[in-house]
Amino acid sequence: MKVLVLGNGGREHALAWKLSQSERVSQVYVAPGNGGTAQDPRLQNVNLSDVKPLADFAQAEKITLTVVGPEAFLAAGVVDEFRSRGLRIFGATKAAAQLESSKAFAKDFMKRHGIPTAAYETFSDAAAAHAYVDAQGAPIVIKADGLAAGKGVVVAMTLPEAHEAIDWILEDNKLGVVHNEGGARVVIEQFLQGEEASFIVLCDGRNVVPLATSQDHKRLLDKDEGPNTGGMGAYSPAPVVTPNVHAKAMHEIIMPTIQGMARDGVPFTGFLYAGLMIDEHGQPRTVEFNTRMGDPETQPIMMRLKSDLFEVLMHATEGTLDQVELQWDRRVALGVVMAAEGYPLNPRKGDVITGLPAETEDAMVFQAGTVEKDGQLQTNGGRVLCVTALGESVRTAQQRAYQALTGIQFAGMQYRQDIGYRAIKR
C-alpha cells in the first residue's frame, strides 16, 4: 500500500515516520516534505503543494491513503477535492475546517451548542476593538480570525500590548494572517486562568477515539516568558489531564462538538484538537479548536503510539473507529524544539545544520524548517527541529532529549532549557 502525507513540518515528519512502520505500507510519500523526510530512506518527497496536482498524483500513483498535516491544505479544500475523485483521505472538509480557519465561526459554534469557552466579541473595526479593550481591561486575549501558523494569538497582559495586537492584526498584518473572506477580523476574549493542555482525538464523523494527552510550551523563553510561538516543545502524557478532566473534556467538549457539527450538516472527520484551559477545580474550557494534529505535540504522541497508525486511519476513513482501541507506550515522551535565529517574527533561513544524532529506539530528531541544499542540511523556517525522547519519567525523558541535542549546531539556534517543567513541578 502507498500512503501520501501532505505538509512539510515536524508534525508531517512524525506522521510519515510512524506510517512507514506499518507492515502493510510499501511506500510513504511526503508532499512537499522537508530536509528530514528527504534524507529518510523510508520516505520520499514529492515537490507538490497545490490541491489539484496532489489529487492527480494520488490518482496516478494509486495512493491508498492520504493524510493531511497542516491547516492550510484543509482550508483550501483538499479533502473535498480528493473525495470528489473517490480518493481515500483523512482530514476535515473545507466547511468543517472552519472550526480552525475562522475563530469567529468556532466561537459562534461553541456558544450555539453550549460548549464551555471564554466570553468574547468579534470586531473588524479597529476603533471599536480598541474601545472594547479599554472597557474590559487587561489581561485579555486577542486572536486573528484567520490562519496564522500558530502565531495569530496574543495573550496581552497589559492594555498597550492589547492595542498593539489589534493594530498588528487589523492594520498592518504583522502576524502574516491569511484573512477570511470579508477582510481582517479579531476575536477578543476573556483571559482564562489555569493550565493549558492539548486534547486531540480522531473522528470519523460519528465515532471518536482520543489520542494520548499532551501539553506544549507556547512561549519562546524559559519560565513561559517572551512572545507566543507555534510551540517550543511538548510532552505526553499531560499530568494536568486527570481521569476526571479527561471524562469532562469528552463529555462536555468533544462529543457535543462532533454531534453539533453533524446536526449543523457539517460532519467532522479528521484530527480534532481542543486546546483546553483547566482551572484549579479541574474544569476544562475550550481555548480554541484546531482541525489537525498539533505541532510539536505530534512528535511525542507518535513516539508513544504502539498501534499501527495506517490500520487506525483506514478505520477512520471507513467510519469504523468504534472498532479501534489504541495501544500506548507507558513511558513519557518529551520533545524540545530548536528554532532559527529571529523566530517567531523574522526567522533566518540558510544556516547549515550539523551534528544530528542517529535515530535510536528512545530518541528521534524530527525535522521541520529544514531543506537539503548542495549536499548540506540547512534551516528553512522558524521551528527547525524537534528533538524527542522517551523516558520512565518526565525528568528522564527531559534529560534524554537534552542529551540528544548537545551535538547539534546551527548559527543563531534558540531553544528552551525547561521543557516539561510544569509536569516535573506537579
Side-chain angles (χ1 to χ4, degrees):
M1 306 271 192
K2 295 179 183 177
V3 177
L4 172 62
V5 176
L6 305 186
N8 65 350
R11 163 185 48 223
E12 289 75 42
H13 189 184
L15 289 169
W17 170 82
K18 190 67 196 173
L19 285 160
S20 72
Q21 294 167 19
S22 172
E23 288 182 5
R24 289 180 65 200
V25 172
S26 57
Q27 180 65 60
V28 178
Y29 296 100
V30 190
N34 58 40
T37 54
Q39 291 180 338
D40 191 324
R42 297 162 293 195
L43 312 175
Q44 188 177 327
N45 283 1
V46 180
N47 190 22
L48 295 173
S49 53
D50 291 331
V51 169
K52 284 192 164 51
L54 284 165
D56 293 340
F57 174 81
Q59 275 183 317
E61 284 295 327
K62 298 186 168 51
I63 300 293
T64 303
L65 171 70
T66 299
V67 183
V68 188
E71 60 275 23
F73 278 118
L74 300 170
V78 72
V79 171
D80 309 69
E81 177 67 25
F82 271 58
R83 284 189 185 164
S84 74
R85 303 192 193 192
L87 295 165
R88 186 190 292 261
I89 186 166
F90 185 65
T93 60
K94 185 174 183 175
Q98 287 180 98
L99 276 178
E100 175 168 10
S101 63
S102 173
K103 295 283 190 282
F105 173 91
K107 295 297 285 192
D108 293 345
F109 172 85
M110 285 188 267
K111 189 176 185 178
R112 202 164 59 245
H113 291 282
I115 295 161
T117 188
Y120 72 103
E121 292 291 342
T122 304
F123 300 92
S124 52
D125 177 70
H130 286 304
Y132 180 77
V133 161
D134 281 332
Q136 295 296 315
I140 197 162
V141 182
I142 317 294
K143 294 182 176 179
D145 180 36
L147 294 177
K151 297 190 288 287
V153 177
V154 177
V155 181
M157 301 312 289
T158 65
L159 284 174
E161 280 182 86
H163 291 303
E164 182 180 44
I166 290 165
D167 289 336
W168 274 7
I169 295 164
L170 290 182
E171 303 290 343
D172 57 10
N173 199 9
K174 252 196 187 161
L175 299 177
V177 181
V178 180
H179 293 302
N180 294 311
E181 287 173 26
R185 291 196 297 183
V186 286
V187 174
I188 303 181
E189 288 186 359
Q190 152 201 24
F191 174 79
L192 296 178
Q193 291 281 3
E195 196 170 338
E196 205 170 332
S198 307
F199 199 94
I200 307 172
V201 299
L202 302 167
C203 312
D204 64 11
R206 193 168 39 109
N207 304 298
V208 172
V209 174
L211 296 178
T213 62
S214 57
Q215 194 162 16
D216 76 336
H217 295 259
K218 292 272 194 293
R219 300 278 186 168
L220 181 69
L221 306 173
D222 286 7
K223 298 179 183 167
D224 292 325
E225 292 178 356
N228 247 6
T229 71
M232 291 302 292
Y235 51 91
S236 172
V240 69
V241 184
T242 62
N244 185 41
V245 170
H246 195 286
K248 282 182 176 175
M250 286 296 290
H251 180 67
E252 298 173 15
I253 295 169
I254 300 296
M255 291 316 296
T257 299
I258 299 307
Q259 290 156 1
M261 290 293 277
R263 273 204 305 277
D264 289 354
V266 192
F268 190 92
T269 55
F271 298 107
L272 180 66
Y273 168 138
L276 305 181
M277 187 64 78
I278 301 155
D279 69 17
E280 58 191 350
H281 307 296
Q283 183 59 45
R285 281 193 280 181
T286 317
V287 176
E288 64 179 3
F289 284 121
N290 294 321
T291 56
R292 37 78 192 180
M293 287 286 282
D295 190 344
E297 295 97 331
T298 306
Q299 292 88 312
I301 289 172
M302 288 300 119
M303 286 284 282
R304 289 188 62 218
L305 181 64
K306 293 176 88 168
S307 302
D308 183 321
L309 182 61
F310 174 76
E311 299 287 0
V312 171
L313 296 184
M314 289 295 281
H315 275 290
T317 50
E318 280 162 14
T320 54
L321 273 178
D322 53 335
Q323 297 174 22
V324 169
E325 192 171 327
L326 298 178
Q327 303 298 315
W328 298 98
D329 192 312
R330 58 181 177 73
R331 291 175 293 173
V332 174
L334 183 143
V336 179
V337 168
M338 304 183 78
E341 168 93 39
Y343 180 73
L345 282 179
N346 298 296
R348 189 172 72 198
K349 297 180 180 181
D351 290 308
V352 175
I353 305 163
T354 59
L356 289 185
E359 176 183 343
T360 67
E361 280 196 6
D362 56 12
M364 172 73 186
V365 179
F366 295 107
Q367 297 188 32
T370 65
V371 65
E372 216 179 9
K373 224 176 193 176
D374 308 323
Q376 295 177 317
L377 189 67
Q378 298 181 10
T379 62
N380 192 45
R383 290 178 297 164
V384 178
L385 308 169
C386 184
V387 183
T388 312
L390 287 161
E392 293 297 333
S393 65
V394 181
R395 196 178 287 282
T396 310
Q398 183 191 57
Q399 286 168 347
R400 282 195 182 143
Y402 282 104
Q403 182 63 37
L405 65 73
T406 50
I408 299 172
Q409 292 292 324
F410 57 92
M413 65 183 185
Q414 45 179 340
Y415 60 90
R416 284 179 55 159
Q417 306 274 357
D418 65 347
I419 299 303
Y421 83 88
R422 285 198 216 103
I424 291 168
K425 197 166 69 177
R426 272 182 166 266

